[in-house]
Amino acid sequence: MNRYLLRIARLLRAASALAVASVTLPALAAGGHHAIDDAALLEPGRCKLESWASRSGPGPLGLLHGAAGCRLGPIEWSLGVDQVREDGTRQRTLGAQLKWATALTPWLSGGLAVAPAWTPTARPRERSVVVNGLLTGTWSEDLRWHANLGRTQADPGGARAWRGGLSVDWAFRPDWQVMTERYREDGSDFLRSGLRWQPAQGWTLDASHAWRLRGEGKTASTLGLTFEFE
């Protein structure tokens, strides 16, 4: 009996290792300034710095973002700040994110992300919470899909809205990846396509364009930079 239990334990351990490997195969992760996040975490003990700038018209940059995050235990923690410039005014929003993910099968992982945000300079003060369910599937070593579904609750007013969508990314070369995503955010529908490049170990450069398909959102182009380190 002990021999059979030992064999089962070894099989389960091997399956777990394969599941983790399948989730982390592509060197370039989703997330960043993209609307659809992946169900994957930083490696234990690793951290990242990320920033991006978005422009939605011929005027000055509309959004600047900076954030830092680390993997602590089973959770990836991030803190960030956004500066939005519109109609000659500037507004800063402070935000955080807690993200958890785990392997469900050798080809599928799932997770949950919770992201509260505050705008202390607004009157009345604005705050929101985004709760997002995450799925990532691996078709091959270089082709993955991601699905998100969640809710946003904003105050004052307690307004709630569904959010989520689907995305696919393809690593067509070791340091290059293309992606496309169809998503709903803040009551508007968008389609985004982009290119991701890893010029050096730990560094990732993203460029994308999002087209508004329906709603009051704006079409925008975004350039982002991420640095991952121990």
Side-chain angles (χ1 to χ4, degrees):
M1 178 65 71
N2 290 338
R3 182 183 301 175
Y4 289 113
L5 290 177
L6 181 59
R7 184 173 297 175
I8 292 172
R10 287 175 177 172
L11 288 173
L12 290 174
R13 186 160 52 245
S16 298
L18 179 60
V20 173
S22 70
V23 170
T24 58
L25 273 173
L28 308 180
H33 72 267
H34 303 296
I36 305 303
D37 202 354
D38 57 5
L41 304 175
L42 292 168
E43 291 296 321
R46 293 189 67 82
C47 297
K48 66 179 179 180
L49 300 173
E50 61 182 16
S51 63
W52 63 76
S54 291
R55 189 172 187 172
S56 56
L61 292 174
L63 170 65
L64 293 174
H65 171 88
C70 289
R71 168 81 177 269
L72 300 175
I75 305 295
E76 184 178 311
W77 305 72
S78 299
L79 295 173
V81 59
D82 290 343
Q83 177 175 282
V84 178
R85 182 172 181 176
E86 188 174 12
D87 298 330
T89 63
R90 294 182 181 181
Q91 197 84 275
R92 288 186 176 89
T93 298
L94 307 177
Q97 185 188 63
L98 286 73
K99 182 181 174 184
W100 168 85
T102 187
L104 303 176
T105 74
W107 306 277
L108 183 69
S109 61
L112 182 69
V114 179
W118 306 266
T119 306
T121 57
R123 293 294 182 270
R125 292 183 179 179
E126 298 175 358
R127 57 189 183 275
S128 64
V129 176
V130 177
V131 179
N132 231 6
L134 316 172
L135 280 177
T136 289
T138 304
W139 281 319
S140 65
E141 291 187 2
D142 54 8
L143 187 62
R144 302 183 307 169
W145 61 267
H146 314 283
N148 290 181
L149 181 62
R151 294 274 280 179
T152 300
Q153 178 166 335
D155 291 309
R160 298 182 180 182
W162 288 101
R163 60 182 293 128
L166 296 170
S167 73
V168 176
D169 57 55
W170 173 42
F172 62 95
R173 295 186 63 182
D175 299 326
W176 290 87
Q177 190 179 70
V178 291
M179 57 76 60
T180 187
E181 59 183 358
R182 172 73 161 81
Y183 62 97
R184 183 172 181 81
E185 186 176 68
D186 298 329
S188 299
D189 294 330
F190 296 89
L191 176 67
R192 186 198 306 268
S193 293
L195 182 66
R196 185 176 292 125
W197 176 42
Q198 194 174 55
Q201 183 65 33
W203 291 92
T204 303
L205 183 66
D206 288 270
S208 75
H209 187 77
W211 294 268
R212 176 180 56 84
L213 303 178
R214 183 172 57 187
E216 299 180 355
K218 294 182 179 180
T219 293
S221 297
T222 304
L223 184 66
L225 182 65
T226 302
F227 175 56
E228 185 177 324
F229 59 95
E230 289 185 329

